[in-house]
Amino acid sequence: MVMRFLRYSLERGRKICVVTLGEAGRMERRNLLVTAIDEGGEGFTARLPGRKRETHIALGDVLTAAYARGDTGELE
């Protein structure tokens, strides 16, 4: 299910909401835009709000993903 949302963000250029396991075992909720998915599926590259550089996130650190607020996933 997580890969479905990652592909949705990548293909449609829409932000998604992702809950990751951050440092010190804390859960972090982030809105992000996926810019690339690793070929092997180990992780993905995303642009976070307020940051100029892209960040690599390991797929194992992602607990869940969903549509960002205001997005219902409808095809336009």
Short mmCIF file of all heavy atoms in Angstrom, two decimals:
data_model
loop_
_atom_site.label_atom_id
_atom_site.label_comp_id
_atom_site.label_asym_id
_atom_site.label_seq_id
_atom_site.Cartn_x
_atom_site.Cartn_y
_atom_site.Cartn_z
N MET A 1 0.82 -1.18 0.00
CA MET A 1 0.00 0.00 0.00
C MET A 1 0.87 1.26 0.00
O MET A 1 0.53 2.23 -0.63
CB MET A 1 -0.92 -0.03 1.22
CG MET A 1 -1.92 1.09 1.21
SD MET A 1 -3.02 1.08 -0.18
CE MET A 1 -4.49 0.51 0.55
N VAL A 2 1.98 1.22 0.72
CA VAL A 2 2.87 2.38 0.77
C VAL A 2 3.43 2.68 -0.62
O VAL A 2 3.46 3.84 -1.04
CB VAL A 2 4.02 2.14 1.79
CG1 VAL A 2 5.06 3.23 1.69
CG2 VAL A 2 3.46 2.07 3.20
N MET A 3 3.83 1.65 -1.34
CA MET A 3 4.38 1.85 -2.69
C MET A 3 3.36 2.49 -3.61
O MET A 3 3.71 3.28 -4.48
CB MET A 3 4.88 0.53 -3.28
CG MET A 3 6.18 0.06 -2.71
SD MET A 3 7.53 1.26 -2.89
CE MET A 3 7.81 1.19 -4.63
N ARG A 4 2.10 2.17 -3.42
CA ARG A 4 1.04 2.76 -4.24
C ARG A 4 1.02 4.28 -4.06
O ARG A 4 0.93 5.03 -5.02
CB ARG A 4 -0.31 2.17 -3.86
CG ARG A 4 -1.45 2.76 -4.61
CD ARG A 4 -2.77 2.07 -4.23
NE ARG A 4 -3.85 2.90 -4.68
CZ ARG A 4 -4.75 3.46 -3.90
NH1 ARG A 4 -4.72 3.24 -2.61
NH2 ARG A 4 -5.69 4.21 -4.37
N PHE A 5 1.12 4.74 -2.82
CA PHE A 5 1.13 6.18 -2.56
C PHE A 5 2.41 6.83 -3.05
O PHE A 5 2.39 7.96 -3.55
CB PHE A 5 0.92 6.46 -1.07
CG PHE A 5 -0.51 6.33 -0.65
CD1 PHE A 5 -0.94 5.23 0.08
CD2 PHE A 5 -1.44 7.29 -1.01
CE1 PHE A 5 -2.26 5.11 0.46
CE2 PHE A 5 -2.77 7.17 -0.63
CZ PHE A 5 -3.19 6.07 0.10
N LEU A 6 3.54 6.14 -2.93
CA LEU A 6 4.79 6.70 -3.44
C LEU A 6 4.73 6.88 -4.95
O LEU A 6 5.13 7.91 -5.49
CB LEU A 6 5.97 5.80 -3.06
CG LEU A 6 6.26 5.65 -1.57
CD1 LEU A 6 7.41 4.68 -1.36
CD2 LEU A 6 6.55 6.99 -0.93
N ARG A 7 4.21 5.87 -5.65
CA ARG A 7 4.07 5.98 -7.11
C ARG A 7 3.06 7.07 -7.49
O ARG A 7 3.26 7.79 -8.46
CB ARG A 7 3.65 4.64 -7.71
CG ARG A 7 4.79 3.66 -7.81
CD ARG A 7 4.45 2.47 -8.69
NE ARG A 7 3.29 1.73 -8.20
CZ ARG A 7 3.34 0.72 -7.34
NH1 ARG A 7 4.50 0.32 -6.88
NH2 ARG A 7 2.24 0.12 -6.95
N TYR A 8 1.99 7.21 -6.73
CA TYR A 8 0.99 8.25 -6.96
C TYR A 8 1.65 9.63 -6.91
O TYR A 8 1.46 10.47 -7.78
CB TYR A 8 -0.13 8.15 -5.92
CG TYR A 8 -1.08 9.32 -5.90
CD1 TYR A 8 -2.09 9.42 -6.84
CD2 TYR A 8 -0.95 10.32 -4.95
CE1 TYR A 8 -2.96 10.51 -6.83
CE2 TYR A 8 -1.82 11.40 -4.92
CZ TYR A 8 -2.82 11.48 -5.86
OH TYR A 8 -3.69 12.55 -5.86
N SER A 9 2.46 9.86 -5.87
CA SER A 9 3.13 11.14 -5.72
C SER A 9 4.11 11.39 -6.85
O SER A 9 4.17 12.49 -7.41
CB SER A 9 3.85 11.21 -4.38
OG SER A 9 4.56 12.41 -4.24
N LEU A 10 4.86 10.37 -7.22
CA LEU A 10 5.86 10.50 -8.28
C LEU A 10 5.21 10.75 -9.63
O LEU A 10 5.60 11.66 -10.36
CB LEU A 10 6.72 9.23 -8.33
CG LEU A 10 7.81 9.20 -9.39
CD1 LEU A 10 8.84 10.29 -9.13
CD2 LEU A 10 8.48 7.84 -9.41
N GLU A 11 4.20 9.97 -9.98
CA GLU A 11 3.58 10.07 -11.30
C GLU A 11 2.71 11.31 -11.47
O GLU A 11 2.64 11.88 -12.54
CB GLU A 11 2.75 8.82 -11.57
CG GLU A 11 3.58 7.57 -11.70
CD GLU A 11 2.76 6.30 -11.72
OE1 GLU A 11 1.51 6.37 -11.61
OE2 GLU A 11 3.37 5.22 -11.83
N ARG A 12 2.04 11.73 -10.43
CA ARG A 12 1.11 12.85 -10.53
C ARG A 12 1.66 14.17 -10.00
O ARG A 12 1.03 15.21 -10.14
CB ARG A 12 -0.18 12.53 -9.78
CG ARG A 12 -0.82 11.23 -10.25
CD ARG A 12 -2.28 11.39 -10.40
NE ARG A 12 -2.96 10.13 -10.64
CZ ARG A 12 -3.01 9.51 -11.81
NH1 ARG A 12 -2.40 10.02 -12.84
NH2 ARG A 12 -3.66 8.38 -11.94
N GLY A 13 2.84 14.13 -9.35
CA GLY A 13 3.43 15.34 -8.82
C GLY A 13 2.64 15.94 -7.67
O GLY A 13 2.58 17.15 -7.49
N ARG A 14 2.01 15.08 -6.88
CA ARG A 14 1.19 15.52 -5.74
C ARG A 14 1.87 15.14 -4.43
O ARG A 14 2.53 14.10 -4.33
CB ARG A 14 -0.19 14.84 -5.79
CG ARG A 14 -0.96 14.98 -7.08
CD ARG A 14 -1.51 16.37 -7.31
NE ARG A 14 -2.41 16.84 -6.30
CZ ARG A 14 -3.73 16.85 -6.40
NH1 ARG A 14 -4.31 16.39 -7.48
NH2 ARG A 14 -4.47 17.33 -5.42
N LYS A 15 1.69 15.97 -3.42
CA LYS A 15 2.25 15.67 -2.11
C LYS A 15 1.43 14.58 -1.43
O LYS A 15 0.22 14.46 -1.66
CB LYS A 15 2.23 16.91 -1.23
CG LYS A 15 3.24 17.95 -1.64
CD LYS A 15 3.24 19.10 -0.68
CE LYS A 15 4.25 20.13 -1.11
NZ LYS A 15 4.29 21.26 -0.19
N ILE A 16 2.10 13.80 -0.60
CA ILE A 16 1.44 12.78 0.20
C ILE A 16 1.89 12.96 1.65
O ILE A 16 2.88 13.62 1.93
CB ILE A 16 1.76 11.34 -0.27
CG1 ILE A 16 3.26 11.08 -0.27
CG2 ILE A 16 1.14 11.08 -1.63
CD1 ILE A 16 3.64 9.64 -0.54
N CYS A 17 1.15 12.36 2.55
CA CYS A 17 1.47 12.38 3.98
C CYS A 17 2.10 11.03 4.32
O CYS A 17 1.55 9.98 4.00
CB CYS A 17 0.20 12.60 4.79
SG CYS A 17 0.49 12.55 6.56
N VAL A 18 3.26 11.07 4.95
CA VAL A 18 3.99 9.85 5.29
C VAL A 18 4.36 9.89 6.77
O VAL A 18 4.81 10.92 7.28
CB VAL A 18 5.27 9.73 4.43
CG1 VAL A 18 6.10 8.55 4.85
CG2 VAL A 18 4.92 9.63 2.96
N VAL A 19 4.17 8.77 7.45
CA VAL A 19 4.62 8.64 8.84
C VAL A 19 5.85 7.75 8.81
O VAL A 19 5.81 6.62 8.32
CB VAL A 19 3.53 8.02 9.74
CG1 VAL A 19 4.05 7.83 11.15
CG2 VAL A 19 2.28 8.88 9.74
N THR A 20 6.97 8.30 9.32
CA THR A 20 8.23 7.57 9.32
C THR A 20 8.71 7.36 10.75
O THR A 20 8.31 8.07 11.66
CB THR A 20 9.32 8.34 8.54
OG1 THR A 20 9.51 9.61 9.13
CG2 THR A 20 8.95 8.48 7.08
N LEU A 21 9.59 6.42 10.89
CA LEU A 21 10.24 6.17 12.17
C LEU A 21 11.54 6.96 12.14
O LEU A 21 12.48 6.61 11.43
CB LEU A 21 10.50 4.68 12.35
CG LEU A 21 10.90 4.22 13.72
CD1 LEU A 21 9.82 4.58 14.73
CD2 LEU A 21 11.13 2.73 13.72
N GLY A 22 11.59 8.04 12.88
CA GLY A 22 12.74 8.93 12.87
C GLY A 22 13.80 8.50 13.86
O GLY A 22 13.80 7.38 14.38
N GLU A 23 14.69 9.43 14.12
CA GLU A 23 15.76 9.16 15.06
C GLU A 23 15.20 8.98 16.47
O GLU A 23 14.17 9.55 16.82
CB GLU A 23 16.76 10.31 15.04
CG GLU A 23 17.47 10.42 13.71
CD GLU A 23 18.51 11.50 13.73
OE1 GLU A 23 19.04 11.81 14.82
OE2 GLU A 23 18.80 12.03 12.66
N ALA A 24 15.84 8.19 17.25
CA ALA A 24 15.44 7.89 18.63
C ALA A 24 14.09 7.18 18.70
O ALA A 24 13.41 7.23 19.71
CB ALA A 24 15.42 9.16 19.48
N GLY A 25 13.67 6.55 17.59
CA GLY A 25 12.45 5.77 17.59
C GLY A 25 11.17 6.57 17.60
O GLY A 25 10.11 6.03 17.88
N ARG A 26 11.24 7.85 17.30
CA ARG A 26 10.05 8.69 17.27
C ARG A 26 9.33 8.59 15.93
O ARG A 26 9.96 8.52 14.88
CB ARG A 26 10.42 10.15 17.48
CG ARG A 26 10.84 10.47 18.86
CD ARG A 26 11.00 11.96 18.96
NE ARG A 26 11.40 12.33 20.30
CZ ARG A 26 11.90 13.50 20.59
NH1 ARG A 26 12.07 14.40 19.66
NH2 ARG A 26 12.22 13.77 21.84
N MET A 27 8.02 8.64 15.98
CA MET A 27 7.24 8.70 14.76
C MET A 27 7.16 10.15 14.31
O MET A 27 6.93 11.04 15.12
CB MET A 27 5.83 8.14 14.96
CG MET A 27 5.81 6.66 15.19
SD MET A 27 4.16 5.96 15.15
CE MET A 27 3.36 6.85 16.46
N GLU A 28 7.37 10.37 13.00
CA GLU A 28 7.31 11.71 12.44
C GLU A 28 6.33 11.73 11.28
O GLU A 28 6.43 10.91 10.38
CB GLU A 28 8.69 12.15 11.96
CG GLU A 28 9.74 12.22 13.03
CD GLU A 28 11.11 12.55 12.49
OE1 GLU A 28 11.28 12.58 11.25
OE2 GLU A 28 12.02 12.77 13.30
N ARG A 29 5.42 12.67 11.31
CA ARG A 29 4.46 12.84 10.21
C ARG A 29 4.97 13.94 9.30
O ARG A 29 5.29 15.03 9.77
CB ARG A 29 3.10 13.23 10.77
CG ARG A 29 2.04 13.39 9.73
CD ARG A 29 0.73 13.78 10.40
NE ARG A 29 -0.19 14.28 9.41
CZ ARG A 29 -0.30 15.56 9.05
NH1 ARG A 29 0.45 16.47 9.61
NH2 ARG A 29 -1.16 15.92 8.13
N ARG A 30 5.08 13.64 8.01
CA ARG A 30 5.63 14.59 7.06
C ARG A 30 4.78 14.63 5.79
O ARG A 30 4.30 13.60 5.33
CB ARG A 30 7.03 14.19 6.63
CG ARG A 30 8.01 14.01 7.72
CD ARG A 30 9.28 13.43 7.17
NE ARG A 30 10.31 13.35 8.18
CZ ARG A 30 11.54 12.97 7.93
NH1 ARG A 30 11.89 12.61 6.73
NH2 ARG A 30 12.42 12.94 8.90
N ASN A 31 4.62 15.81 5.24
CA ASN A 31 4.07 15.94 3.90
C ASN A 31 5.26 16.07 2.97
O ASN A 31 6.17 16.86 3.23
CB ASN A 31 3.18 17.18 3.78
CG ASN A 31 1.86 16.98 4.48
OD1 ASN A 31 1.34 15.88 4.54
ND2 ASN A 31 1.34 18.05 5.04
N LEU A 32 5.28 15.30 1.91
CA LEU A 32 6.42 15.33 1.02
C LEU A 32 6.01 15.04 -0.41
O LEU A 32 4.92 14.53 -0.67
CB LEU A 32 7.49 14.34 1.48
CG LEU A 32 7.10 12.89 1.74
CD1 LEU A 32 7.11 12.09 0.45
CD2 LEU A 32 8.05 12.28 2.73
N LEU A 33 6.90 15.37 -1.33
CA LEU A 33 6.71 15.10 -2.76
C LEU A 33 7.80 14.14 -3.19
O LEU A 33 9.00 14.44 -3.07
CB LEU A 33 6.81 16.41 -3.56
CG LEU A 33 6.72 16.27 -5.06
CD1 LEU A 33 5.32 15.82 -5.47
CD2 LEU A 33 7.06 17.59 -5.72
N VAL A 34 7.42 12.98 -3.68
CA VAL A 34 8.38 11.96 -4.11
C VAL A 34 8.95 12.39 -5.46
O VAL A 34 8.21 12.72 -6.39
CB VAL A 34 7.71 10.58 -4.21
CG1 VAL A 34 8.70 9.55 -4.74
CG2 VAL A 34 7.17 10.15 -2.86
N THR A 35 10.28 12.39 -5.56
CA THR A 35 10.94 12.77 -6.82
C THR A 35 11.59 11.59 -7.52
O THR A 35 11.84 11.65 -8.72
CB THR A 35 12.00 13.86 -6.57
OG1 THR A 35 12.93 13.40 -5.60
CG2 THR A 35 11.34 15.14 -6.07
N ALA A 36 11.87 10.50 -6.80
CA ALA A 36 12.45 9.30 -7.40
C ALA A 36 12.27 8.12 -6.44
O ALA A 36 12.27 8.30 -5.23
CB ALA A 36 13.92 9.49 -7.69
N ILE A 37 12.13 6.94 -7.04
CA ILE A 37 12.06 5.69 -6.27
C ILE A 37 13.24 4.83 -6.70
O ILE A 37 13.50 4.68 -7.89
CB ILE A 37 10.73 4.95 -6.52
CG1 ILE A 37 9.55 5.81 -6.08
CG2 ILE A 37 10.72 3.61 -5.79
CD1 ILE A 37 8.19 5.22 -6.40
N ASP A 38 13.97 4.29 -5.73
CA ASP A 38 15.12 3.44 -6.03
C ASP A 38 14.69 2.25 -6.88
O ASP A 38 13.59 1.71 -6.69
CB ASP A 38 15.78 2.94 -4.75
CG ASP A 38 16.35 4.05 -3.90
OD1 ASP A 38 16.47 5.18 -4.39
OD2 ASP A 38 16.68 3.77 -2.73
N GLU A 39 15.57 1.82 -7.78
CA GLU A 39 15.26 0.68 -8.65
C GLU A 39 14.98 -0.59 -7.86
O GLU A 39 14.08 -1.33 -8.18
CB GLU A 39 16.40 0.44 -9.64
CG GLU A 39 16.27 1.23 -10.90
CD GLU A 39 17.25 0.79 -11.94
OE1 GLU A 39 17.42 -0.43 -12.14
OE2 GLU A 39 17.85 1.67 -12.56
N GLY A 40 15.76 -0.83 -6.84
CA GLY A 40 15.58 -2.03 -6.04
C GLY A 40 14.41 -1.92 -5.06
O GLY A 40 14.02 -2.90 -4.44
N GLY A 41 13.87 -0.74 -4.90
CA GLY A 41 12.76 -0.54 -3.99
C GLY A 41 13.17 -0.40 -2.53
O GLY A 41 12.35 -0.55 -1.64
N GLU A 42 14.46 -0.10 -2.28
CA GLU A 42 14.93 0.02 -0.90
C GLU A 42 14.53 1.35 -0.28
O GLU A 42 14.51 1.49 0.95
CB GLU A 42 16.46 -0.09 -0.81
CG GLU A 42 17.05 -1.33 -1.40
CD GLU A 42 17.41 -1.15 -2.87
OE1 GLU A 42 17.76 -0.04 -3.28
OE2 GLU A 42 17.34 -2.14 -3.59
N GLY A 43 14.25 2.35 -1.10
CA GLY A 43 13.94 3.66 -0.58
C GLY A 43 13.48 4.60 -1.68
O GLY A 43 13.24 4.19 -2.81
N PHE A 44 13.39 5.88 -1.34
CA PHE A 44 12.96 6.87 -2.31
C PHE A 44 13.54 8.23 -1.95
O PHE A 44 14.00 8.45 -0.83
CB PHE A 44 11.44 6.94 -2.38
CG PHE A 44 10.77 7.31 -1.09
CD1 PHE A 44 10.41 8.62 -0.82
CD2 PHE A 44 10.49 6.35 -0.14
CE1 PHE A 44 9.80 8.96 0.37
CE2 PHE A 44 9.88 6.67 1.06
CZ PHE A 44 9.53 7.98 1.31
N THR A 45 13.55 9.11 -2.92
CA THR A 45 14.03 10.47 -2.73
C THR A 45 12.83 11.39 -2.73
O THR A 45 11.94 11.24 -3.56
CB THR A 45 15.01 10.86 -3.86
OG1 THR A 45 16.04 9.89 -3.92
CG2 THR A 45 15.61 12.22 -3.61
N ALA A 46 12.80 12.33 -1.80
CA ALA A 46 11.64 13.21 -1.66
C ALA A 46 12.08 14.62 -1.35
O ALA A 46 13.16 14.85 -0.79
CB ALA A 46 10.72 12.70 -0.57
N ARG A 47 11.23 15.56 -1.71
CA ARG A 47 11.44 16.96 -1.36
C ARG A 47 10.50 17.30 -0.21
O ARG A 47 9.29 17.16 -0.33
CB ARG A 47 11.15 17.85 -2.56
CG ARG A 47 11.44 19.31 -2.27
CD ARG A 47 11.42 20.17 -3.50
NE ARG A 47 12.49 19.76 -4.41
CZ ARG A 47 12.31 19.54 -5.70
NH1 ARG A 47 11.14 19.71 -6.24
NH2 ARG A 47 13.32 19.18 -6.47
N LEU A 48 11.08 17.73 0.90
CA LEU A 48 10.31 18.11 2.07
C LEU A 48 10.05 19.61 2.05
O LEU A 48 10.86 20.38 1.53
CB LEU A 48 11.09 17.74 3.35
CG LEU A 48 11.41 16.26 3.52
CD1 LEU A 48 12.36 16.05 4.68
CD2 LEU A 48 10.14 15.47 3.73
N PRO A 49 8.94 20.05 2.61
CA PRO A 49 8.65 21.49 2.63
C PRO A 49 9.72 22.28 3.38
O PRO A 49 10.21 21.84 4.42
CB PRO A 49 7.32 21.58 3.39
CG PRO A 49 6.77 20.21 3.41
CD PRO A 49 7.90 19.27 3.25
N GLY A 50 10.10 23.41 2.83
CA GLY A 50 11.07 24.27 3.47
C GLY A 50 12.53 23.87 3.28
O GLY A 50 13.42 24.50 3.83
N ARG A 51 12.77 22.83 2.52
CA ARG A 51 14.15 22.40 2.27
C ARG A 51 14.45 22.48 0.79
O ARG A 51 13.63 22.15 -0.05
CB ARG A 51 14.36 20.97 2.75
CG ARG A 51 14.21 20.84 4.23
CD ARG A 51 14.74 19.53 4.70
NE ARG A 51 14.53 19.40 6.14
CZ ARG A 51 14.76 18.30 6.80
NH1 ARG A 51 15.18 17.24 6.18
NH2 ARG A 51 14.54 18.26 8.09
N LYS A 52 15.67 22.91 0.48
CA LYS A 52 16.06 23.05 -0.92
C LYS A 52 16.59 21.74 -1.49
O LYS A 52 16.39 21.46 -2.66
CB LYS A 52 17.13 24.14 -1.06
CG LYS A 52 16.61 25.51 -0.73
CD LYS A 52 17.67 26.56 -0.90
CE LYS A 52 17.11 27.92 -0.53
NZ LYS A 52 18.11 28.96 -0.66
N ARG A 53 17.26 20.96 -0.64
CA ARG A 53 17.81 19.69 -1.11
C ARG A 53 16.82 18.55 -0.91
O ARG A 53 16.00 18.58 0.01
CB ARG A 53 19.09 19.36 -0.37
CG ARG A 53 20.23 20.27 -0.74
CD ARG A 53 21.52 19.77 -0.21
NE ARG A 53 21.42 19.54 1.24
CZ ARG A 53 22.44 19.24 2.00
NH1 ARG A 53 23.63 19.15 1.50
NH2 ARG A 53 22.27 19.03 3.29
N GLU A 54 16.96 17.56 -1.77
CA GLU A 54 16.11 16.38 -1.65
C GLU A 54 16.70 15.45 -0.59
O GLU A 54 17.89 15.44 -0.34
CB GLU A 54 16.01 15.68 -3.00
CG GLU A 54 15.30 16.56 -4.02
CD GLU A 54 15.25 15.91 -5.38
OE1 GLU A 54 15.96 14.93 -5.62
OE2 GLU A 54 14.49 16.41 -6.22
N THR A 55 15.84 14.65 0.02
CA THR A 55 16.23 13.74 1.10
C THR A 55 15.93 12.31 0.69
O THR A 55 14.89 12.04 0.10
CB THR A 55 15.43 14.08 2.38
OG1 THR A 55 15.65 15.44 2.70
CG2 THR A 55 15.85 13.22 3.53
N HIS A 56 16.84 11.40 1.01
CA HIS A 56 16.61 9.97 0.75
C HIS A 56 16.02 9.35 2.01
O HIS A 56 16.52 9.53 3.11
CB HIS A 56 17.90 9.26 0.37
CG HIS A 56 17.65 7.85 -0.05
ND1 HIS A 56 17.68 6.81 0.85
CD2 HIS A 56 17.35 7.31 -1.25
CE1 HIS A 56 17.42 5.69 0.21
NE2 HIS A 56 17.22 5.97 -1.07
N ILE A 57 14.92 8.61 1.82
CA ILE A 57 14.25 7.95 2.94
C ILE A 57 14.20 6.45 2.65
O ILE A 57 13.77 6.05 1.56
CB ILE A 57 12.82 8.51 3.13
CG1 ILE A 57 12.89 10.01 3.42
CG2 ILE A 57 12.09 7.77 4.25
CD1 ILE A 57 11.55 10.71 3.43
N ALA A 58 14.63 5.65 3.61
CA ALA A 58 14.59 4.20 3.45
C ALA A 58 13.15 3.72 3.58
O ALA A 58 12.40 4.20 4.44
CB ALA A 58 15.46 3.53 4.51
N LEU A 59 12.78 2.80 2.73
CA LEU A 59 11.41 2.28 2.74
C LEU A 59 11.09 1.58 4.05
O LEU A 59 9.95 1.61 4.52
CB LEU A 59 11.20 1.33 1.56
CG LEU A 59 9.77 0.98 1.21
CD1 LEU A 59 8.97 2.25 0.92
CD2 LEU A 59 9.71 0.06 0.04
N GLY A 60 12.09 1.00 4.69
CA GLY A 60 11.90 0.34 5.97
C GLY A 60 11.53 1.29 7.10
O GLY A 60 11.00 0.87 8.12
N ASP A 61 11.82 2.58 6.92
CA ASP A 61 11.49 3.57 7.94
C ASP A 61 10.07 4.11 7.80
O ASP A 61 9.59 4.82 8.67
CB ASP A 61 12.46 4.76 7.87
CG ASP A 61 13.87 4.38 8.31
OD1 ASP A 61 14.01 3.34 8.97
OD2 ASP A 61 14.80 5.12 7.98
N VAL A 62 9.40 3.78 6.70
CA VAL A 62 8.05 4.28 6.45
C VAL A 62 7.04 3.35 7.11
O VAL A 62 7.00 2.16 6.83
CB VAL A 62 7.76 4.39 4.94
CG1 VAL A 62 6.33 4.84 4.70
CG2 VAL A 62 8.73 5.35 4.28
N LEU A 63 6.23 3.91 8.01
CA LEU A 63 5.22 3.11 8.69
C LEU A 63 3.91 3.09 7.91
O LEU A 63 3.26 2.06 7.82
CB LEU A 63 4.99 3.66 10.10
CG LEU A 63 6.21 3.69 11.00
CD1 LEU A 63 5.88 4.36 12.32
CD2 LEU A 63 6.73 2.29 11.22
N THR A 64 3.51 4.24 7.37
CA THR A 64 2.28 4.33 6.59
C THR A 64 2.32 5.56 5.69
O THR A 64 3.14 6.45 5.90
CB THR A 64 1.03 4.36 7.50
OG1 THR A 64 -0.14 4.25 6.72
CG2 THR A 64 0.98 5.64 8.31
N ALA A 65 1.45 5.57 4.71
CA ALA A 65 1.34 6.71 3.79
C ALA A 65 -0.13 6.93 3.46
O ALA A 65 -0.93 5.99 3.49
CB ALA A 65 2.14 6.46 2.52
N ALA A 66 -0.47 8.18 3.15
CA ALA A 66 -1.86 8.52 2.83
C ALA A 66 -1.87 9.78 1.97
O ALA A 66 -0.83 10.41 1.77
CB ALA A 66 -2.65 8.76 4.10
N TYR A 67 -3.05 10.13 1.47
CA TYR A 67 -3.19 11.37 0.72
C TYR A 67 -2.92 12.54 1.65
O TYR A 67 -3.30 12.50 2.82
CB TYR A 67 -4.59 11.50 0.12
CG TYR A 67 -4.91 10.45 -0.91
CD1 TYR A 67 -5.87 9.48 -0.65
CD2 TYR A 67 -4.26 10.43 -2.12
CE1 TYR A 67 -6.19 8.51 -1.58
CE2 TYR A 67 -4.56 9.46 -3.07
CZ TYR A 67 -5.51 8.51 -2.80
OH TYR A 67 -5.81 7.56 -3.73
N ALA A 68 -2.33 13.59 1.13
CA ALA A 68 -2.15 14.81 1.91
C ALA A 68 -3.50 15.47 2.12
O ALA A 68 -4.47 15.20 1.39
CB ALA A 68 -1.20 15.76 1.21
N ARG A 69 -3.57 16.34 3.08
CA ARG A 69 -4.82 17.03 3.40
C ARG A 69 -5.36 17.75 2.17
O ARG A 69 -4.64 18.46 1.47
CB ARG A 69 -4.55 18.03 4.51
CG ARG A 69 -5.77 18.70 5.01
CD ARG A 69 -5.44 19.58 6.18
NE ARG A 69 -6.65 20.12 6.74
CZ ARG A 69 -6.70 20.90 7.79
NH1 ARG A 69 -5.57 21.22 8.39
NH2 ARG A 69 -7.82 21.35 8.25
N GLY A 70 -6.63 17.54 1.90
CA GLY A 70 -7.29 18.18 0.77
C GLY A 70 -7.21 17.38 -0.51
O GLY A 70 -7.84 17.74 -1.51
N ASP A 71 -6.47 16.30 -0.54
CA ASP A 71 -6.34 15.47 -1.74
C ASP A 71 -7.14 14.18 -1.53
O ASP A 71 -6.95 13.48 -0.54
CB ASP A 71 -4.86 15.13 -1.97
CG ASP A 71 -4.62 14.42 -3.30
OD1 ASP A 71 -5.58 14.18 -4.03
OD2 ASP A 71 -3.45 14.13 -3.59
N THR A 72 -8.03 13.89 -2.45
CA THR A 72 -8.84 12.67 -2.35
C THR A 72 -8.42 11.61 -3.36
O THR A 72 -9.02 10.55 -3.42
CB THR A 72 -10.32 12.99 -2.55
OG1 THR A 72 -10.50 13.60 -3.82
CG2 THR A 72 -10.83 13.91 -1.44
N GLY A 73 -7.40 11.92 -4.17
CA GLY A 73 -6.91 10.95 -5.12
C GLY A 73 -7.73 10.85 -6.39
O GLY A 73 -7.54 9.93 -7.17
N GLU A 74 -8.61 11.79 -6.61
CA GLU A 74 -9.44 11.75 -7.81
C GLU A 74 -8.62 12.10 -9.03
O GLU A 74 -7.73 12.95 -8.99
CB GLU A 74 -10.60 12.74 -7.67
CG GLU A 74 -11.55 12.37 -6.57
CD GLU A 74 -12.65 13.42 -6.38
OE1 GLU A 74 -12.66 14.42 -7.10
OE2 GLU A 74 -13.48 13.21 -5.50
N LEU A 75 -8.91 11.45 -10.13
CA LEU A 75 -8.25 11.75 -11.40
C LEU A 75 -8.92 12.95 -12.03
O LEU A 75 -10.13 13.02 -12.10
CB LEU A 75 -8.33 10.55 -12.34
CG LEU A 75 -7.70 9.27 -11.80
CD1 LEU A 75 -7.90 8.14 -12.79
CD2 LEU A 75 -6.21 9.47 -11.55
N GLU A 76 -8.11 13.90 -12.45
CA GLU A 76 -8.66 15.12 -13.04
C GLU A 76 -8.72 15.03 -14.54
O GLU A 76 -7.98 14.41 -15.18
CB GLU A 76 -7.84 16.32 -12.62
CG GLU A 76 -7.84 16.49 -11.14
CD GLU A 76 -6.92 17.59 -10.68
OE1 GLU A 76 -5.86 17.75 -11.24
OE2 GLU A 76 -7.31 18.27 -9.73
#
